[in-house]
Amino acid sequence: MRIGIYAGSFDPVTYGHEDLIERSLSFVDRLVVAVATNVAKQPLFSVEDRIRFIRSAVDHEPRVEVRQFDGLLVDLAREVGATLSVRGLRAVADFEYEFQMALMNRHLNADMETVFMMPRLDLTYVSSSLVREIARFEGNTGDLVNPLVHQALRERFSRA
Amino acid sequence: MRIGIYAGSFDPVTYGHEDLIERSLSFVDRLVVAVATNVAKQPLFSVEDRIRFIRSAVDHEPRVEVRQFDGLLVDLAREVGATLSVRGLRAVADFEYEFQMALMNRHLNADMETVFMMPRLDLTYVSSSLVREIARFEGNTGDLVNPLVHQALRERFSRA
Amino acid sequence: MRIGIYAGSFDPVTYGHEDLIERSLSFVDRLVVAVATNVAKQPLFSVEDRIRFIRSAVDHEPRVEVRQFDGLLVDLAREVGATLSVRGLRAVADFEYEFQMALMNRHLNADMETVFMMPRLDLTYVSSSLVREIARFEGNTGDLVNPLVHQALRERFSRA
Amino acid sequence: MRIGIYAGSFDPVTYGHEDLIERSLSFVDRLVVAVATNVAKQPLFSVEDRIRFIRSAVDHEPRVEVRQFDGLLVDLAREVGATLSVRGLRAVADFEYEFQMALMNRHLNADMETVFMMPRLDLTYVSSSLVREIARFEGNTGDLVNPLVHQALRERFSRA
Amino acid sequence: MRIGIYAGSFDPVTYGHEDLIERSLSFVDRLVVAVATNVAKQPLFSVEDRIRFIRSAVDHEPRVEVRQFDGLLVDLAREVGATLSVRGLRAVADFEYEFQMALMNRHLNADMETVFMMPRLDLTYVSSSLVREIARFEGNTGDLVNPLVHQALRERFSRA
Amino acid sequence: MRIGIYAGSFDPVTYGHEDLIERSLSFVDRLVVAVATNVAKQPLFSVEDRIRFIRSAVDHEPRVEVRQFDGLLVDLAREVGATLSVRGLRAVADFEYEFQMALMNRHLNADMETVFMMPRLDLTYVSSSLVREIARFEGNTGDLVNPLVHQALRERFSRA
């Protein structure tokens, strides 16, 4: 059985992330979505919220497990038996950072391979940070994130 | 009448920014220079100072309006009737970030187009952050920013 | 009156090119689409065909003129009174080549400014060379190029 | 059963290609290595030789099939039942070209996904064209290609 | 006598930095390794520790001087009589930032030239920030940094 | 004595090349400018002309030797005792190609180091191929190449 990991801070999960989860399932048997607790900056949503948002998006899919993690990706891979790390690539800047990480991870754990995929084209410009920025100024995030997240963003930033 | 917006934090305005303002006027009838108040980090100069520095540079040009803004660029465009957002491109890193922003802005407001221009070649290496760094160590910023800004930087960082 | 030039080999014109022509008209009063005859490699279509394909796409638009050109872009700009050269940017590789050209053109003719635009997102992967490649193997080009070009490609590559 | 395709001109196959074939087998059940006959330039080796070189490298691996192809990758995928196209990424220039191809292929065949992998770090600088260049001047290619290819290159370029 | 400067925050020095120091000595007669005290973020190690770590790595090499600096690189160059600034390049993102800095430095001091080198290939993915990240989660840094740094990282992050 | 090589096709030498030759002399004792005879495409100028054009530019500089070469750079380096290969970097596309070459050369000859430099900013857009293109259409190349080359280009392309 091939187990993959898709790790990130998911603050919050976007349709871009959800698209990548779905695509990954075409070549892994099980996918662990790992929500990092140790993000450098103060996250907008708690790790519990971030996990809940992802679960709501994939609850029809028994092959996906959503969990938090705090540590090195390669250690998590050993713990859950994963041999693939799945990453989305949108831009050259992504590419270089992701390559450095993938090379370092290969150095730390030769048994985990990193594979890269492209999100759906019309989601290439969607990132969690842009979504937060738009929500902050009460722009419409309805077609960037799922309804649960959309609602949570509105509540968080409503000026009333 | 074609109205363009040139938005940024301008902390402080450099000769690179001034060059781009001038170039923009070759294809817009009126340009709104929008000074963002919601910059993430603590700015070096207040928004009032940043506006004053730009005004001193363009006061001979009746087609340019300088104002502050706080929110989404697309909302400002609707408010002032702008159909073009003008951006400078200097490097690949600029390019990717600017593209993501432009795609998101097109998604949020299909009536605003983003156009990119190159600054004068000998200003490609001038950025507000480098200018602040040089001034901090009392390097000479006299040919990077206009005299009013140059003087303000000296006063801010003089160790006397 | 602001006159722009959009130059290329257009072998053949794609929906990506047509999108850029349309976007350009939001900030120029008249656009000269200049079809280069001096392309390095043997073109698939004659310059007459290439011009005809573009004209069929813009014949509803009196502000667009399609013509051939053979020489330096800056000389054509002087001849037709253009002050803007319009370019599409899709990728970093585009960006660098286009920048070198734009800097050289500014050196040769300081009165012509180059402005860059993004094509519609779902057309970013469409290029004339990919279209030719797909048509060569009888793939479907129906949603990449206009009907006249689509038909011409089928005739050119039908194996019957 | 997950079937992947790894397509290229392989003129000749290098240790970089062989590394990618091996890595691919960690997430596909069967891999079709497709050798393009329609390369633009005159290849150094015939398609028969190119296939023979690859087979010699993977003959211990029953899950790999090596064959020639002439046409669109998406058509081959439909023919052999492949749902994944495997690509190596080494550099930003690769990245952009590969992305354009992957987007076009997704457009032409939504059932085929493209996944990207990194070759072994010490093979990132190895390409077929560099190998040909080195062999042409009788440089040592012994640790860049397998022994059969190494010998064939020597015979091809020996000046005696 | 050609004097070079290799400046950075070295928080901590990695085998990648040490490799570059050694390579630089092939074309400078004396190298000043300048440890920046004015790093933006709070460093992990004090400037005294960072200097000590570098000295332990180069103590066999009388041509290298390690010192702290606080100010503009061009001023330090004038002070120590250096005519070359040595920089490592690993990725496109490095390249652009380094180019902007090099152009600005040339503007500030025309007598100092910047030269770029590649680190050893298998160290391209090693950076101080990744090393700190790995050490934080008690991953093994033994082949990324020298023994003294490795020991210091373990002590700093041991959870006991 | 440090000997450097600066290799290229120099078809023809531009002020950008001449700038790099001069900069190189700040850290090598002797520079061999190596004019490749084995350029893929038919060159505009014969190797004798290309050498003559460079010599006319550096004839005041006894430390520079101009010669032709046909083969691998690493073999030439061994022959002339060079330990440095000097390369100019202008753009990201340069960067990647140059890196691949430099890594391959290090693999083939560990005793030759590659160092990269930036040309003068206002020459970044000058390349031999652009110069040929401009001359072909009788544009002015007078401030891109030295007088001897300028005259040769005019003679080559005069339509009289």
Side-chain angles (χ1 to χ4, degrees):
Chain A
M1 189 169 75
R2 287 184 201 98
I3 302 175
I5 295 183
Y6 180 31
S9 51
F10 302 103
D11 183 33
V13 68
T14 69
Y15 278 148
H17 298 126
E18 297 182 19
D19 176 67
L20 214 74
I21 290 172
E22 198 174 332
R23 290 183 192 279
S24 304
L25 292 172
S26 71
F27 60 89
V28 298
D29 300 297
R30 197 167 137 254
L31 184 72
V32 177
V33 179
V35 181
T37 57
N38 58 306
V39 290
K41 294 180 296 186
Q42 181 65 25
L44 179 65
F45 292 108
S46 71
V47 69
E48 289 76 19
D49 278 348
R50 288 182 273 146
I51 288 176
R52 188 165 51 87
F53 296 155
I54 303 173
R55 282 199 179 126
S56 81
V58 299
D59 62 2
H60 60 287
E61 182 49 81
R63 293 191 291 150
V64 176
E65 177 195 354
V66 188
R67 51 170 287 176
Q68 70 174 80
F69 97 106
D70 169 27
L72 295 178
L73 185 63
V74 291
D75 292 335
L76 177 64
R78 285 198 191 90
E79 182 189 331
V80 301
T83 53
L84 288 176
S85 165
V86 178
R87 309 297 301 158
L89 280 185
R90 294 173 307 180
V92 169
D94 283 357
F95 169 80
E96 296 215 308
Y97 173 76
E98 292 291 343
F99 251 47
Q100 192 189 19
M101 287 302 300
L103 287 169
M104 182 57 94
N105 283 332
R106 188 184 281 172
H107 169 79
L108 294 172
N109 178 356
D111 295 332
M112 187 184 81
E113 193 65 55
T114 304
V115 294
F116 302 97
M117 307 187 74
M118 283 182 312
R120 217 174 68 211
L121 182 58
D122 63 344
L123 297 171
T124 45
Y125 56 86
V126 182
S127 70
S128 294
S129 61
L130 262 183
V131 163
R132 292 195 304 267
E133 180 83 359
I134 291 166
R136 180 163 291 127
F137 295 108
E138 303 189 49
N140 185 5
T141 61
D143 36 15
L144 307 175
V145 296
N146 70 49
L148 187 64
V149 176
H150 179 55
Q151 184 58 30
L153 285 167
R154 289 182 59 154
E155 285 166 12
R156 187 63 64 99
F157 291 114
S158 68
R159 297 183 181 179
Chain B
M1 188 170 74
R2 287 183 200 100
I3 301 176
I5 295 184
Y6 180 33
S9 51
F10 303 103
D11 184 34
V13 67
T14 69
Y15 278 148
H17 298 127
E18 298 182 19
D19 176 66
L20 214 74
I21 291 171
E22 198 174 333
R23 289 183 192 279
S24 305
L25 292 172
S26 71
F27 60 89
V28 298
D29 299 298
R30 199 169 135 251
L31 185 72
V32 176
V33 180
V35 181
T37 57
N38 58 307
V39 290
K41 294 178 296 185
Q42 181 66 24
L44 179 65
F45 291 107
S46 71
V47 69
E48 289 76 21
D49 277 348
R50 288 182 274 146
I51 288 176
R52 188 165 51 88
F53 296 155
I54 304 173
R55 283 200 179 126
S56 81
V58 299
D59 61 1
H60 60 287
E61 181 49 82
R63 295 192 289 150
V64 177
E65 177 196 355
V66 188
R67 50 168 288 175
Q68 70 174 79
F69 96 107
D70 168 29
L72 294 178
L73 184 63
V74 291
D75 292 334
L76 177 64
R78 284 198 192 91
E79 182 188 331
V80 302
T83 54
L84 289 175
S85 165
V86 178
R87 308 298 300 160
L89 280 184
R90 294 173 307 180
V92 169
D94 283 355
F95 169 80
E96 296 215 308
Y97 173 77
E98 292 291 342
F99 252 47
Q100 192 189 20
M101 288 303 300
L103 287 168
M104 181 57 93
N105 283 332
R106 189 184 280 172
H107 170 79
L108 295 171
N109 179 354
D111 295 332
M112 187 185 79
E113 194 64 56
T114 305
V115 294
F116 302 97
M117 307 186 75
M118 284 182 313
R120 216 173 69 210
L121 182 58
D122 63 344
L123 297 171
T124 46
Y125 56 86
V126 182
S127 70
S128 294
S129 61
L130 262 184
V131 162
R132 292 194 304 267
E133 180 84 359
I134 292 166
R136 180 163 292 126
F137 296 108
E138 304 188 50
N140 185 5
T141 61
D143 37 13
L144 307 175
V145 295
N146 71 48
L148 187 63
V149 177
H150 179 54
Q151 183 58 29
L153 285 166
R154 289 182 59 153
E155 285 165 12
R156 187 63 63 99
F157 290 115
S158 68
R159 299 185 178 179
Chain C
M1 189 169 74
R2 287 184 201 99
I3 302 176
I5 295 183
Y6 180 31
S9 50
F10 303 102
D11 183 33
V13 68
T14 69
Y15 278 149
H17 298 127
E18 297 182 19
D19 176 67
L20 213 75
I21 291 171
E22 200 174 330
R23 291 183 190 280
S24 305
L25 292 172
S26 72
F27 61 90
V28 297
D29 299 297
R30 198 168 137 252
L31 184 72
V32 176
V33 180
V35 181
T37 56
N38 58 305
V39 290
K41 294 180 296 184
Q42 181 67 23
L44 179 65
F45 291 107
S46 70
V47 69
E48 290 76 21
D49 278 348
R50 288 183 272 147
I51 288 176
R52 189 166 51 88
F53 297 155
I54 304 173
R55 284 203 178 124
S56 82
V58 299
D59 61 2
H60 61 286
E61 182 49 82
R63 294 192 290 150
V64 176
E65 176 195 355
V66 188
R67 51 170 287 177
Q68 69 175 81
F69 97 106
D70 169 28
L72 295 178
L73 185 62
V74 291
D75 292 334
L76 177 65
R78 284 199 191 90
E79 182 188 331
V80 302
T83 54
L84 288 175
S85 164
V86 178
R87 308 298 301 158
L89 280 185
R90 294 172 307 180
V92 169
D94 283 357
F95 169 80
E96 296 215 309
Y97 173 76
E98 292 291 344
F99 251 47
Q100 193 190 18
M101 287 303 300
L103 287 168
M104 182 57 93
N105 283 332
R106 189 183 281 172
H107 169 79
L108 294 171
N109 178 356
D111 295 332
M112 187 185 80
E113 195 64 57
T114 305
V115 294
F116 302 97
M117 307 187 74
M118 283 182 313
R120 219 174 67 211
L121 183 57
D122 64 344
L123 296 171
T124 46
Y125 56 86
V126 182
S127 70
S128 295
S129 61
L130 262 183
V131 162
R132 292 194 305 268
E133 180 84 359
I134 291 166
R136 179 163 291 128
F137 296 108
E138 303 187 50
N140 185 5
T141 61
D143 36 14
L144 308 174
V145 294
N146 70 49
L148 187 64
V149 176
H150 179 55
Q151 184 58 30
L153 285 167
R154 288 182 61 153
E155 285 165 13
R156 187 62 65 100
F157 291 114
S158 68
R159 298 183 180 179
Chain D
M1 187 168 75
R2 287 183 201 98
I3 301 176
I5 294 184
Y6 180 31
S9 51
F10 303 103
D11 184 33
V13 67
T14 69
Y15 278 149
H17 297 127
E18 297 182 19
D19 176 65
L20 214 75
I21 291 172
E22 199 174 333
R23 290 183 191 280
S24 305
L25 291 173
S26 71
F27 61 89
V28 298
D29 299 297
R30 198 168 136 252
L31 184 72
V32 176
V33 180
V35 181
T37 57
N38 59 307
V39 291
K41 294 179 296 184
Q42 181 66 23
L44 179 64
F45 292 107
S46 70
V47 69
E48 290 76 21
D49 277 347
R50 287 182 274 146
I51 288 176
R52 187 164 53 87
F53 297 155
I54 304 173
R55 284 201 178 125
S56 80
V58 299
D59 61 2
H60 61 287
E61 181 50 81
R63 295 192 290 150
V64 177
E65 177 195 355
V66 188
R67 51 168 288 177
Q68 70 175 78
F69 97 107
D70 169 28
L72 294 179
L73 185 62
V74 291
D75 292 334
L76 177 64
R78 285 199 191 90
E79 182 189 331
V80 302
T83 54
L84 288 175
S85 165
V86 178
R87 308 298 300 158
L89 280 185
R90 294 173 307 181
V92 169
D94 282 357
F95 169 80
E96 296 214 308
Y97 173 77
E98 293 291 342
F99 251 46
Q100 192 190 18
M101 288 302 302
L103 287 168
M104 182 56 93
N105 283 333
R106 190 184 280 171
H107 169 79
L108 294 172
N109 179 355
D111 296 332
M112 187 185 80
E113 194 65 56
T114 305
V115 294
F116 301 97
M117 307 187 74
M118 284 183 312
R120 218 173 69 211
L121 182 58
D122 63 345
L123 295 171
T124 46
Y125 56 86
V126 182
S127 70
S128 294
S129 61
L130 262 184
V131 162
R132 292 195 304 268
E133 180 84 0
I134 291 166
R136 180 163 291 127
F137 296 109
E138 304 188 50
N140 185 5
T141 61
D143 36 14
L144 307 175
V145 296
N146 70 48
L148 187 63
V149 176
H150 179 55
Q151 183 59 29
L153 285 166
R154 290 182 60 154
E155 286 165 10
R156 187 63 64 100
F157 289 114
S158 68
R159 298 185 179 177
Chain E
M1 188 168 76
R2 288 184 199 98
I3 301 176
I5 294 184
Y6 180 30
S9 50
F10 303 102
D11 184 33
V13 67
T14 68
Y15 278 149
H17 298 127
E18 297 182 18
D19 176 66
L20 213 74
I21 290 172
E22 198 174 332
R23 289 183 192 280
S24 305
L25 292 172
S26 71
F27 60 90
V28 298
D29 299 298
R30 198 167 136 252
L31 185 72
V32 176
V33 179
V35 181
T37 57
N38 58 306
V39 291
K41 294 180 295 187
Q42 182 66 24
L44 179 64
F45 291 107
S46 70
V47 68
E48 290 76 20
D49 277 348
R50 288 182 273 146
I51 288 176
R52 188 166 52 88
F53 297 154
I54 304 173
R55 283 200 179 126
S56 81
V58 299
D59 61 2
H60 60 287
E61 181 50 81
R63 294 192 290 150
V64 177
E65 176 195 357
V66 189
R67 50 170 286 175
Q68 69 174 80
F69 96 106
D70 169 27
L72 294 178
L73 185 63
V74 292
D75 291 335
L76 177 64
R78 283 199 192 91
E79 182 188 333
V80 302
T83 54
L84 289 174
S85 165
V86 178
R87 309 298 300 159
L89 280 185
R90 293 173 307 181
V92 169
D94 282 356
F95 169 80
E96 296 214 308
Y97 173 76
E98 292 290 344
F99 251 47
Q100 193 190 18
M101 288 303 300
L103 287 168
M104 182 57 94
N105 283 331
R106 190 184 279 172
H107 169 80
L108 294 171
N109 179 356
D111 295 332
M112 187 184 80
E113 195 63 57
T114 305
V115 294
F116 302 97
M117 306 186 75
M118 285 182 312
R120 218 172 68 209
L121 183 58
D122 64 344
L123 296 171
T124 47
Y125 56 85
V126 182
S127 70
S128 294
S129 60
L130 262 184
V131 162
R132 292 195 305 267
E133 180 84 359
I134 291 166
R136 179 163 292 128
F137 296 108
E138 304 188 49
N140 185 5
T141 61
D143 36 15
L144 307 175
V145 295
N146 70 49
L148 186 64
V149 176
H150 180 55
Q151 184 57 30
L153 285 167
R154 289 183 60 153
E155 285 165 11
R156 187 62 65 98
F157 290 115
S158 67
R159 297 183 180 179
Chain F
M1 189 169 75
R2 286 183 200 98
I3 301 175
I5 294 184
Y6 180 31
S9 51
F10 303 102
D11 185 33
V13 68
T14 68
Y15 278 149
H17 298 126
E18 297 182 18
D19 177 66
L20 214 74
I21 291 171
E22 199 174 332
R23 290 184 192 279
S24 305
L25 292 172
S26 72
F27 60 89
V28 297
D29 299 298
R30 200 168 136 251
L31 185 72
V32 176
V33 180
V35 181
T37 57
N38 59 305
V39 291
K41 294 179 297 186
Q42 182 66 23
L44 179 63
F45 291 108
S46 70
V47 68
E48 290 76 22
D49 277 348
R50 289 183 272 147
I51 287 176
R52 188 166 51 88
F53 296 155
I54 304 173
R55 283 200 180 126
S56 81
V58 299
D59 61 1
H60 60 287
E61 182 50 81
R63 293 192 290 150
V64 176
E65 177 195 356
V66 188
R67 50 169 287 175
Q68 70 175 79
F69 95 107
D70 168 28
L72 295 178
L73 185 64
V74 291
D75 292 334
L76 177 64
R78 284 198 191 91
E79 183 189 331
V80 302
T83 54
L84 288 175
S85 164
V86 178
R87 308 298 301 159
L89 281 185
R90 294 172 307 180
V92 169
D94 283 357
F95 169 80
E96 296 214 308
Y97 173 77
E98 292 291 342
F99 251 47
Q100 192 189 19
M101 288 303 301
L103 287 168
M104 182 57 93
N105 283 332
R106 189 184 278 172
H107 169 79
L108 294 172
N109 179 356
D111 295 331
M112 186 186 80
E113 194 65 56
T114 304
V115 294
F116 301 97
M117 307 185 75
M118 284 183 311
R120 218 173 68 209
L121 183 58
D122 64 345
L123 297 171
T124 46
Y125 56 87
V126 181
S127 70
S128 294
S129 61
L130 263 183
V131 163
R132 291 194 305 266
E133 180 83 358
I134 291 167
R136 178 163 294 128
F137 296 108
E138 305 188 48
N140 185 5
T141 60
D143 37 14
L144 307 174
V145 295
N146 69 49
L148 186 63
V149 176
H150 180 54
Q151 184 58 29
L153 285 166
R154 289 182 61 152
E155 286 166 11
R156 187 62 65 100
F157 290 114
S158 68
R159 297 183 180 179

